[in-house]
Amino acid sequence: MSCCHADFAFTDSSDRAFTIGMPTFTFGAGCLSEAGEQAQELGLKRIALFTDRNLRSSVHVATVSASLRAANIDAVIYDEISVEPTTESFQAAARFASDGKFDGYVSVGGGSVMDTCKAANLYATHPADFMSYVNAPIGGGQRVPGPLKPHIACPTTAGTGSETTGIAIFNLTEINAKTGIISRRLIPSVALIDPTVTLTLPSRVMAASGFDCMSHALESITARAWPRRLNPARGINRPVSQGANPFSDALAGEALRAVGKFLVRAVNDASDIEARTEMMFAATQAGVAFNAAGCHLPHGLSYPVSGLARDFHLDGYPAGKSLVPHGMAVVLNNPSVWRFTAPCSPQRHLHGAACLGAEMRGALPQDAGDALAGRVIEMMRAAGMPNGLSDLGFTDADVDALAIGSEPQYRVIRNAPKDVSREDLKDLFRAAMKYW
């Protein structure tokens, strides 16, 4: 393949193919009103409509509900969803789905809503012990045995890309760490991506979700190359996320160009429909990219940050509990990671920085880590992100716990372009405490 440059050179043990999974998706203003006809086309009669309490009374849910009614489809709303899902919230949703005897699902919300809907669909369709499908080594990593019921995903944030992925993430309460379930079977059947929904997003939510999108794309480009991935499975057992590949490279690069140009604008002006539309499209592109390539260290390091943070809360998110938005936990680890991984693939890191709009005049391979980290920090400051983990209340005394909490995330950590030890993890967290 002419598109497979030297980064994708085969070794004797390389897989000679890669697989791309994505839903059928419709992108454009007003497309949420197509939910009813899409459900009809899928043959649905009775669906569960997943959303959260904050969105239940929103115009977005009203639009989807009206479209389903017009198509004579019975819809039962489920809104008992936790922002940043937990073991308990996934299990409760699965019980609802099992009891309801639905023939399909619609989700209207952010990543938490869509991921919860995926999990509920899975456990209602193929019942099993909860930990059976959870990623190894934390869970059993059992293969999903067959197709799920149709799922129409309607995202209301611009960043998670969950409408395009076969991944459902939650906090495993027993160990207070994030993990997930991953299978191509979880990819929604249809995605209706209406950029006008972003006009209601608070700036903090726009920032966190937008940086999640950015990191998805950067991690896709800098992941271990597909021919050198560590999971040797082939054919139908080929992993969902397979390492950097030509398809994910193309989509991730386009997503980063949009993020570099439009993210700060979208955060600072909720009425900037051009910026918010471009960020919504970038999130979809980055979602398809990282579903195929996989994330690595920024996401792996983010999970203990979310789980171990104490007494942190942002406007725009549910009150009453400490909560670090996922995209914030991810981006706070970005600069330290890029300085660490850049020597493995300096051209890819320079490419990421250039796509984001960094000043690259005279940049050499040895400058790659600082070039990319510097551009990310510049955007963090412009979008009002915290100045590293210390702004969340972490200190050097937390480094051991953060590193230990990262180690079970080996599905993503092993996708990094270099091997990582516990001491490396500690050094990465120390370097992420403060950036300016």
Side-chain angles (χ1 to χ4, degrees):
M1 292 173 65
S2 60
C3 60
C4 293
H5 47 76
D7 287 351
F8 302 131
F10 294 135
T11 66
D12 289 343
S13 61
S14 291
D15 188 358
R16 260 51 180 180
F18 58 88
T19 300
I20 305 296
M22 69 177 80
T24 297
F25 70 84
T26 298
F27 185 96
C31 70
L32 290 186
S33 64
E34 299 177 15
E37 61 187 86
Q38 292 285 354
Q40 276 186 328
E41 179 69 14
L42 291 167
L44 305 183
K45 303 292 184 184
R46 173 177 164 79
I47 64 98
L49 197 166
F50 278 59
T51 190
D52 63 40
R53 293 185 190 93
N54 291 329
L55 283 169
R56 181 167 184 154
S57 59
S58 70
V59 66
H60 316 317
V61 172
T63 298
V64 171
S65 297
S67 180
L68 292 168
R69 281 196 304 272
N72 296 313
I73 293 168
D74 180 29
V76 181
I77 293 180
Y78 181 79
D79 66 0
E80 300 295 316
I81 288 175
S82 174
V83 175
E84 306 296 341
T86 64
T87 308
E88 292 76 15
S89 69
F90 265 20
Q91 290 174 323
R95 288 192 294 271
F96 167 81
S98 297
D99 293 344
K101 309 299 182 188
F102 302 107
D103 55 16
Y105 299 83
V106 175
S107 56
V108 183
S112 296
V113 171
M114 291 183 281
D115 285 5
T116 301
C117 189
K118 294 174 190 177
N121 189 359
L122 169 61
Y123 287 101
T125 307
H126 301 291
D129 177 77
F130 182 75
M131 295 301 294
S132 297
Y133 296 122
V134 174
N135 296 331
I138 294 173
Q142 178 179 313
R143 187 167 173 263
V144 176
L148 305 189
K149 302 287 178 62
H151 174 193
I152 301 171
C154 307
T156 59
T157 59
T160 72
S162 182
E163 70 275 7
T164 69
T165 77
I167 303 167
I169 299 296
F170 70 101
N171 189 66
L172 184 61
T173 310
E174 293 84 344
I175 61 172
N176 194 30
K178 283 198 173 185
T179 183
I181 304 164
I182 181 167
S183 168
R184 285 188 189 86
R185 304 288 196 185
L186 269 63
I187 297 174
S189 317
V190 171
L192 299 178
I193 306 163
D194 183 342
T196 64
V197 304
T198 62
L199 294 176
T200 62
L201 287 180
S203 63
R204 296 289 196 180
V205 178
M206 185 70 237
S209 59
F211 279 117
D212 193 24
C213 165
M214 181 200 73
S215 198
H216 288 154
L218 285 174
E219 291 172 68
S220 296
I221 284 177
T222 57
R224 191 178 295 255
W226 131 73
R228 288 177 285 287
R229 72 166 188 268
L230 299 181
N231 183 336
R234 306 286 193 269
I236 63 170
N237 294 315
R238 187 173 286 121
V240 174
S241 301
Q242 300 144 71
N245 59 76
F247 190 93
S248 60
D249 277 1
L251 284 178
E254 286 303 306
L256 288 173
R257 291 182 184 94
V259 170
K261 186 174 182 180
F262 295 108
L263 173 56
V264 175
R265 276 176 52 183
V267 170
N268 291 332
D269 183 358
S271 68
D272 189 339
I273 186 61
E274 179 189 22
R276 291 203 166 195
T277 296
E278 293 290 345
M279 284 303 303
M280 193 70 154
F281 192 58
T284 299
Q285 292 175 307
V288 176
F290 94 83
N291 191 60
C295 292
H296 60 88
L297 283 167
H299 271 73
L301 272 59
S302 78
Y303 296 146
V305 170
S306 297
L308 296 173
R310 302 172 292 272
D311 301 323
F312 185 84
H313 182 264
L314 273 184
D315 290 341
Y317 288 88
K321 67 174 183 178
S322 183
L323 189 152
V324 179
H326 170 68
M328 178 181 288
V330 169
V331 77
L332 292 182
N333 289 293
N334 260 245
S336 68
V337 167
W338 304 136
R339 289 174 174 136
F340 173 74
T341 56
C344 300
S345 51
Q347 292 304 324
R348 285 181 167 264
H349 289 69
L350 288 170
H351 175 59
C355 287
L356 283 174
E359 172 55 60
M360 302 302 292
R361 191 180 312 158
L364 300 172
Q366 57 265 35
D367 304 321
D370 284 336
L372 182 50
R375 176 56 178 152
V376 171
I377 290 169
E378 181 183 8
M379 293 176 66
M380 288 169 62
R381 298 185 74 169
M385 282 287 107
N387 181 10
L389 299 179
S390 61
D391 274 13
L392 272 58
F394 289 103
T395 70
D396 283 349
D398 299 304
V399 163
D400 283 345
L402 289 165
I404 291 169
S406 298
E407 288 181 325
Q409 311 301 332
Y410 85 88
R411 180 185 66 82
V412 287
I413 288 177
R414 292 174 72 203
N415 200 37
K418 63 187 292 187
D419 293 335
V420 184
S421 68
R422 181 179 290 185
E423 289 305 312
D424 291 329
L425 294 172
K426 291 180 183 179
D427 289 342
L428 287 167
F429 282 119
R430 288 189 188 98
M433 286 295 167
K434 190 172 289 291
Y435 290 120
W436 61 83

